[in-house]
Amino acid sequence: MAEQLTHLGFVCDGNRRWARSRGLPTLEGHRRGFNKVEVIIDALKNTEVKYVSFFLFSTENWDRTAAEIDYLMDLARKKIDNLTKKAIEEDQRIVIMGRSDPVDPELWTKMLNAEEQTKDNTGLTICICFNYGGHWEIADAATKAIAAGELEMSPETFRKYIYHPEVPDCDLIIRTSGEERISGFQLWRAAYSEFWFIEKHFPEIEAADCIAALEEYHSRQRRFGK
């Protein structure tokens, strides 16, 4: 049986497909998907999970239409305020993983303020991967390491420069919507992650699925190359 599930990651896929399958505007799928973030947080806050990360917007998503991007940014503005208020009330911590450029500075400041306002909280840590790319995280870490004058590199040394190095590796990564790929999510932290690919689109996720994820994880044996 696997040890404690400390860090659970979500690749939040299928918002648009969920909407299209129901004859709804694709933007409605994004709204429903963002709402599920709070459902998952509520389901996990009294479990063994200490960190949950959500892949909400990637560095590649800028290729979508201007209307879709504008809608997603507006949703993010509203949801980060809701998440921050709730995190303060429930002793949860928010951290942001991603790049500031080309995110609107006002939105990025909101996200950093969420970090600042919750930095001393000791409950569940919520990692928002926004304008995030796994290759970029590693490239940014390398740039920081060079700037710091690192001359010899080990995995332990390199780790100091990734986004929020205090966040541990992912124990289990869930990708919704039936796709079986990682899409650059948490590349450094995914070296020995377990994966669970489920058919449900992200807007269909319920609290029971989070409990099922814990059960699925504990049914596995992790060997770490042994």
Side-chain angles (χ1 to χ4, degrees):
M1 181 179 290
E3 61 193 16
Q4 177 173 309
L5 200 174
T6 299
H7 184 181
L8 176 60
F10 281 89
V11 180
C12 309
D13 196 19
N15 292 340
R16 295 186 294 181
R17 274 168 282 179
W18 176 87
R20 284 195 292 263
S21 71
R22 286 159 175 78
L24 298 171
T26 56
L27 300 182
E28 176 63 10
H30 291 307
R31 188 185 72 81
R32 298 288 184 95
F34 267 81
N35 288 345
K36 290 299 180 174
V37 170
E38 290 189 42
V39 171
I40 291 167
I41 292 168
D42 285 342
L44 296 176
K45 63 186 178 184
N46 294 316
T47 68
E48 67 196 83
V49 177
K50 304 301 181 188
Y51 299 83
V52 58
S53 54
F54 298 96
F55 199 3
L56 297 179
F57 190 85
S58 80
T59 50
E60 287 72 43
N61 288 156
W62 295 103
D63 290 335
R64 297 185 177 183
T65 67
E68 185 174 2
I69 289 171
D70 287 346
Y71 185 80
L72 285 167
M73 295 301 134
D74 188 54
L75 268 180
R77 287 185 187 91
K78 295 173 182 174
K79 291 301 179 181
I80 196 63
D81 287 339
N82 293 344
L83 287 176
T84 303
K85 182 176 183 293
K86 194 166 184 177
I88 291 170
E89 292 171 351
E90 300 190 1
D91 193 35
Q92 295 164 352
R93 179 178 172 231
I94 295 173
V95 300
I96 307 301
M97 295 182 178
R99 314 190 87 227
S100 60
D101 185 48
V103 179
D104 177 73
E106 180 266 340
L107 173 55
W108 195 253
T109 298
K110 271 183 177 288
M111 293 185 167
L112 296 184
N113 285 342
E115 278 195 346
E116 179 64 25
Q117 292 178 69
T118 63
K119 66 180 181 181
D120 296 323
N121 292 351
T122 59
L124 180 68
T125 294
I126 303 156
C127 308
I128 304 297
C129 298
F130 195 85
N131 196 30
Y132 174 90
H135 285 159
W136 271 114
E137 179 173 18
I138 292 170
D140 286 342
T143 299
K144 292 175 187 175
I146 292 167
E150 299 285 2
L151 298 178
E152 295 186 12
M153 197 63 63
S154 68
E156 294 74 22
T157 300
F158 189 83
R159 187 185 184 93
K160 295 189 298 184
Y161 299 99
I162 63 175
Y163 305 149
H164 285 282
E166 77 282 2
V167 175
D169 290 351
C170 291
D171 296 305
L172 176 66
I173 295 175
I174 299 172
R175 180 165 188 148
T176 55
S177 204
E179 302 292 347
E180 298 185 3
R181 57 181 180 271
I182 191 170
S183 296
F185 179 62
Q186 298 280 18
L187 290 182
W188 183 266
R189 293 180 176 85
Y192 279 100
S193 298
E194 296 290 315
F195 289 87
W196 195 29
F197 302 108
I198 62 177
E199 293 297 323
K200 279 188 172 184
H201 300 310
F202 191 66
E204 296 175 299
I205 292 294
E206 299 295 346
D209 297 305
C210 297
I211 304 307
L214 294 173
E215 293 172 352
E216 172 67 22
Y217 176 77
H218 286 297
S219 73
R220 301 185 184 188
Q221 274 196 323
R222 302 184 74 191
R223 295 182 176 84
F224 297 99
K226 297 177 183 178

